Amino acid sequence: MFTTVLTRGPVVRPEIARITGLSSAAVTKAVKPMIEAGYLEELPQGERAVEGAGRPAYPLAVRADREFFVGVKVTADELIGVVTDLRAQVRDAHRMAVSGRSVEQVVADIAALVRELGPEYAERTHHLGLSVSGDVDRPGGVVRYSPFLGWHDVPLAELVAGETALMVTVENDVKALTVAEQWFGEGVGADSFALATVGVGIGCGLVVGGRLVAGGYGVAGEIGHVPVAAGDGPACHCGARGCVEAIASEEAIVGRARAVSGDPALDMAGAIERAHGGDAAVRAVFAEAGQAIGLGLAAMVNLVGPERVVVSGEGLAAYDLFEEDIRAAFTTQLFGAAARCPLVVRPLPWEEWARGAASVSIQSLFAA
């Protein structure tokens, strides 16, 4: 019930009952303690009142400043942190370079960043969300495998909680971003949707039946490891060959661009510049990456059938170089009515990833 007000409010009680399937009496009973605890408020009389057959129904709204949440996106090179309110609106943001990639260094850096973020919100901040790329066991708070950090089986939630005295939730970074979109962005009101990210890796978060899908092993939606090339395709860091990520990740694109250009010092920015400048061989590298992404997305849509797919990530800086190939492969490979699934491109800054981590901590509090 609370999440309905959080994601769709201000909203009147009859509408809450319609959305949730609860009776009016059950809604009233559930609302009362949330109002008493200061999480919900009834808008003042005369403000957006809705006239019904009986007395006016006054909308309920979340008191955004009742509690604050910290979200931190952990990368191999830096931490991006935000403080948000209950509506996941960013109140403060800060970045910090990591002192090293060891578990001890990153945990200490997270604690230092938390101390710097919004000290004026500290008294009402009890929850911290962390987002990390790779295989994450959210219930256990363990990073089982993060290729970019080189971590295996790290009890990150426990370690960071010990340093910060906050309640810590750890989630895969793409799934965390998906939660933010589900509750506060493109996914509000959608029963099913997918969020795909293009950049250092290729990720995907899935919402089906209004719930984020983790799967039996916590790795549902990993389209980056869908095989789209033959058995002799390029090797992937996961140990397989021909994965989408082995063809379309930033590292893969740069590696092949260096090979075809003969420039071993080429970086992603240089590859993009060469492609824009008309280098046919480098443009072909981006085209192949686009085709791989499109095939991976189509496989996911054919299997899961989301209402829409949102594409985001830091790799969108090069999106114009492979958009046509993504859409062509995506459209060609879709089956039947799935061809109507829209592909929405939405660039998001790094702070949105940290906001995703904060959204996970908000979700953890109220899902409990």
Side-chain angles (χ1 to χ4, degrees):
M1 188 283 301
F2 180 83
T3 58
T4 300
V5 182
L6 179 65
T7 60
R8 305 194 189 196
V11 59
V12 295
R13 287 176 175 82
E15 182 66 6
I16 295 172
R18 186 192 67 79
I19 294 170
T20 62
L22 297 172
S23 67
S24 296
V27 169
T28 298
K29 183 178 180 180
V31 161
K32 185 178 178 181
M34 301 301 288
I35 292 176
E36 291 174 349
Y39 286 98
L40 295 180
E41 63 180 345
E42 194 170 53
L43 295 183
Q45 190 170 5
E47 184 178 342
R48 295 184 63 180
V50 180
E51 297 290 343
R55 64 183 181 86
Y58 298 104
L60 290 166
V62 168
R63 288 187 58 192
D65 61 353
R66 170 62 175 79
E67 191 156 349
F68 298 97
F69 301 80
V70 176
V72 177
K73 156 69 171 165
V74 181
T75 78
D77 302 308
E78 69 173 341
L79 305 175
I80 302 96
V82 298
V83 175
T84 77
D85 59 25
L86 261 171
R87 293 199 189 102
Q89 298 171 117
V90 176
R91 300 295 188 98
D92 191 21
H94 190 68
R95 292 188 177 200
M96 173 186 290
V98 294
S99 56
R101 296 184 184 180
S102 73
V103 174
E104 295 77 12
Q105 288 171 312
V106 173
V107 168
D109 290 340
I110 290 171
L113 178 61
V114 169
R115 288 192 294 270
E116 289 191 18
L117 276 166
E120 65 270 32
Y121 306 114
E123 286 189 11
R124 281 179 284 169
T125 302
H126 309 288
H127 299 267
L128 166 62
L130 301 174
S131 67
V132 184
S133 66
D135 180 2
V136 176
D137 171 17
R138 175 172 167 177
V142 175
V143 178
R144 290 186 289 224
Y145 170 53
S146 181
F148 305 114
L149 289 166
W151 289 359
H152 292 270
D153 298 320
V154 175
L156 189 60
E158 179 184 345
L159 294 172
V160 174
E163 292 293 323
T164 63
L166 297 174
M167 298 181 65
V168 180
T169 304
V170 183
E171 179 60 283
N172 166 271
D173 55 354
V174 178
K175 287 184 172 63
L177 192 59
T178 304
V179 168
E181 289 298 298
Q182 177 191 10
W183 281 31
F184 307 106
E186 288 284 341
V188 172
D191 184 67
S192 66
F193 79 99
L195 173 75
T197 58
V198 178
V200 175
I202 309 297
C204 183
L206 301 172
V207 171
V208 177
R211 300 178 67 87
L212 181 69
V213 177
Y217 303 98
V219 294
E222 284 288 349
I223 65 165
H225 300 286
V226 170
V228 292
D232 60 349
C236 183
H237 64 79
C238 72
R241 304 189 72 89
C243 298
V244 174
E245 201 161 286
I247 299 168
S249 69
E250 182 175 315
E251 181 181 6
I253 291 172
V254 170
R256 293 203 320 285
R258 287 174 176 174
V260 300
S261 67
D263 182 357
L266 195 67
D267 60 8
M268 189 63 168
I272 293 172
E273 184 177 354
R274 277 180 176 265
H276 282 152
D279 188 319
V282 176
R283 284 194 71 92
V285 170
F286 283 98
E288 186 180 358
Q291 182 182 39
I293 294 167
L295 290 174
L297 290 173
M300 177 270 298
V301 171
N302 285 339
L303 286 169
V304 180
E307 297 172 33
R308 72 191 71 139
V309 177
V310 179
V311 180
S312 188
E314 69 277 12
L316 291 191
Y319 193 71
D320 65 302
L321 292 171
F322 44 50
E323 177 180 11
E324 184 177 337
D325 300 282
I326 289 176
R327 292 189 182 277
F330 180 70
T331 303
T332 301
Q333 201 68 20
L334 290 176
F335 175 76
R340 296 202 297 265
C341 178
L343 202 62
V344 180
V345 179
R346 187 179 180 197
L348 295 172
W350 276 110
E351 283 70 21
E352 286 295 310
W353 292 79
R355 179 174 175 262
S359 298
V360 166
S361 68
I362 295 171
Q363 184 189 58
S364 295
L365 173 62
F366 293 104

